[in-house]
Amino acid sequence: QLQQKIICPGPVTCLTASPNGLYILAGVAESIYLWEVSNGNLLAILNRHYQDLTCLCFTDDSSHFLSGAKDCLALVWNLYSVLQAEPSQIPDPRHVWSRHSLPITDLCCGFGGPLARAATASLDQTAKLWEVSSGELLLSVLFDVGIMAVTLDLSEYHMFCGGMDGSIFQVDLCAWPVQRDRTFQTERENGKVFKGHRNQVTCLSVSTDGSLLLSGSHDETVRLWDIQSKQCLKTMNHKGPVTNAFIVLAPANMFNPDGKPSVPLPKFSKHLHGTESNDEQGSEGVTLRLGLHQQESGESYLEKAEKMYAQMYSTREKNLVGDQEHLTIQVSELEEEVSTLRKINKNLFDFSARIITKPAK
């Protein structure tokens, strides 16, 4: 079901969508292109890398995104700062991570929004763990081979790194003693290596329950592993090198043969602010407006959002008032019960005291 063919200014080296579904990022040469999905507008072109992009990823709350390139740099961007920047200005990234000495090959971001931890992999045979909020380097692990893929499990107890020789390494993030610089020695940690691929591992993904690991490789196979036993459960063959594979929760629409996309995608513009001129020329681009839109009411989307939030907060306040009344009733009932128990306790004490102090006959 091809909805829209998007012509980009050059070969796309990496692509990702925000978890909330509102934005799309693409790496074209050394530039990052940011589109808005609802109307196809090109919102920003970021030129802070010096060589071709290799990987992009969003934080789970879509507030930040990370970019890695062949210039050995990994950059952390605040999405709202990028959107609010003037067209003539190039926004600055929030952090610039320059501790790798060879090209970045993969990025992975954990959970927690701006407080999350992110992992980077590089051809310099290291995988590094960073804190997005402060930009601090938390861990650096040195391997025997270049690392092509990295991912974290949901609980962030382990970091999985795919090597150029086909090996997959499991790094314990909660190992004791805590060391910022660590060397992964394969001969000493045989129980933490997945062996089966015959060529470089290009992608890794962990299931939500943390029990399964999916890996893709240039040996034209995708393998499903049991993390606990390190055994390969299933091998899926392809007719060419596997460049990307990941585990995703299947939407219900996938199992419905008659299911079709409900909202058509608009044409994505190639140039910044190109949609205004296109509208004036009467182009055939599809314009998607969220919610009920009336042409005569000049109400902006921000005003509508403020109204919606006001309704939400008023409803919440009503709920809080109702909860407060209910809480007051519960407190009065509990106070009555406490006073009754005190009376019973006093009667028991008086009865026991009379028996104990009663003179013997």
Side-chain angles (χ1 to χ4, degrees), residues 3-125:
Q3 284 190 266
Q4 186 68 47
K5 185 177 181 181
I6 301 168
I7 307 299
C8 293
V12 177
T13 56
C14 48
L15 182 74
T16 188
S18 61
N20 59 16
L22 298 181
Y23 304 99
I24 282 183
L25 283 174
V28 180
E30 68 275 2
S31 302
I32 303 172
Y33 284 73
L34 174 64
W35 281 283
E36 188 174 8
V37 175
S38 63
N39 52 26
N41 285 347
L42 179 59
L43 302 178
I45 302 176
L46 306 174
N47 297 296
R48 288 301 299 264
H49 284 285
Y50 305 105
Q51 294 186 35
D52 291 356
L53 269 292
T54 56
C55 44
L56 290 164
C57 73
F58 272 95
T59 56
D60 61 325
D61 66 343
S62 305
S63 65
H64 291 71
F65 62 90
L66 288 73
S67 61
K70 292 181 180 179
D71 58 4
C72 316
L73 296 178
L75 307 182
V76 180
W77 303 85
N78 186 322
L79 177 62
Y80 307 117
S81 299
V82 172
L83 295 177
Q84 292 171 3
E86 294 295 330
S88 58
Q89 297 178 347
I90 299 177
D92 293 324
R94 182 173 177 181
H95 300 299
V96 178
W97 294 334
S98 57
R99 301 289 289 271
H100 286 288
S101 56
L102 285 175
I104 306 287
T105 55
D106 197 14
L107 284 169
C108 173
C109 193
F111 285 87
L115 302 177
R117 295 184 293 181
T120 57
S122 171
L123 292 177
D124 62 5
Q125 301 186 359

Side-chain angles (χ1 to χ4, degrees), residues 206-247:
V206 182
S207 62
T208 52
D209 62 355
S211 63
L212 300 175
L213 175 69
L214 186 75
S215 62
S217 170
H218 276 191
D219 64 4
E220 304 183 0
T221 64
V222 171
R223 291 176 180 262
L224 190 65
W225 307 84
D226 178 69
I227 293 178
Q228 189 68 28
S229 63
K230 308 293 184 293
Q231 297 298 312
C232 180
L233 303 178
K234 190 175 183 180
T235 302
M236 291 154 275
N237 296 311
H238 291 263
K239 295 182 180 179
V242 178
T243 56
N244 199 7
F246 55 91
I247 298 174

Side-chain angles (χ1 to χ4, degrees), residues 63-315:
S63 65
H64 291 71
F65 62 90
L66 288 73
S67 61
K70 292 181 180 179
D71 58 4
C72 316
L73 296 178
L75 307 182
V76 180
W77 303 85
N78 186 322
L79 177 62
Y80 307 117
S81 299
V82 172
L83 295 177
Q84 292 171 3
E86 294 295 330
S88 58
Q89 297 178 347
I90 299 177
D92 293 324
R94 182 173 177 181
H95 300 299
V96 178
W97 294 334
S98 57
R99 301 289 289 271
H100 286 288
S101 56
L102 285 175
I104 306 287
T105 55
D106 197 14
L107 284 169
C108 173
C109 193
F111 285 87
L115 302 177
R117 295 184 293 181
T120 57
S122 171
L123 292 177
D124 62 5
Q125 301 186 359
T126 65
K128 299 183 187 294
L129 191 68
W130 310 81
E131 190 175 49
V132 173
S133 58
S134 64
E136 183 182 356
L137 176 64
L138 303 177
L139 176 67
S140 178
V141 185
L142 177 65
F143 298 89
D144 299 330
V145 296
I147 303 300
M148 301 300 298
V150 65
T151 191
L152 300 165
D153 64 354
L154 202 62
S155 58
E156 297 185 19
Y157 282 146
H158 305 290
M159 179 169 65
F160 299 93
C161 307
M164 294 191 69
D165 61 350
S167 300
I168 303 171
F169 310 101
Q170 176 181 316
V171 179
D172 293 334
L173 300 180
C174 300
W176 188 263
V178 178
Q179 297 174 321
R180 179 165 292 187
D181 296 300
R182 196 188 307 177
T183 301
F184 190 96
Q185 298 178 343
T186 307
E187 63 276 4
R188 292 185 182 179
E189 305 192 53
N190 287 327
K192 298 177 182 177
V193 180
F194 300 80
K195 295 182 179 179
H197 285 295
R198 301 182 302 277
N199 205 334
Q200 68 181 38
V201 177
T202 55
C203 49
L204 295 169
S205 180
V206 182
S207 62
T208 52
D209 62 355
S211 63
L212 300 175
L213 175 69
L214 186 75
S215 62
S217 170
H218 276 191
D219 64 4
E220 304 183 0
T221 64
V222 171
R223 291 176 180 262
L224 190 65
W225 307 84
D226 178 69
I227 293 178
Q228 189 68 28
S229 63
K230 308 293 184 293
Q231 297 298 312
C232 180
L233 303 178
K234 190 175 183 180
T235 302
M236 291 154 275
N237 296 311
H238 291 263
K239 295 182 180 179
V242 178
T243 56
N244 199 7
F246 55 91
I247 298 174
V248 64
L249 296 175
N253 197 30
M254 182 180 293
F255 302 102
N256 182 10
D258 301 325
K260 293 182 180 180
S262 57
V263 179
L265 281 175
K267 291 182 179 179
F268 278 26
S269 55
K270 297 182 187 178
H271 307 287
L272 282 170
H273 308 290
T275 52
E276 288 82 357
S277 58
N278 287 344
D279 289 341
E280 292 173 1
Q281 297 170 5
S283 66
E284 297 178 357
V286 178
T287 302
L288 177 67
R289 300 191 183 276
L290 302 179
L292 297 175
H293 178 74
Q294 297 177 353
Q295 202 69 23
E296 61 275 6
S297 66
E299 194 176 27
S300 67
Y301 292 116
L302 290 176
E303 292 172 348
K304 290 182 180 179
E306 287 178 2
K307 281 187 178 180
M308 185 177 68
Y309 280 121
Q311 290 178 356
M312 288 171 56
Y313 285 127
S314 64
T315 306

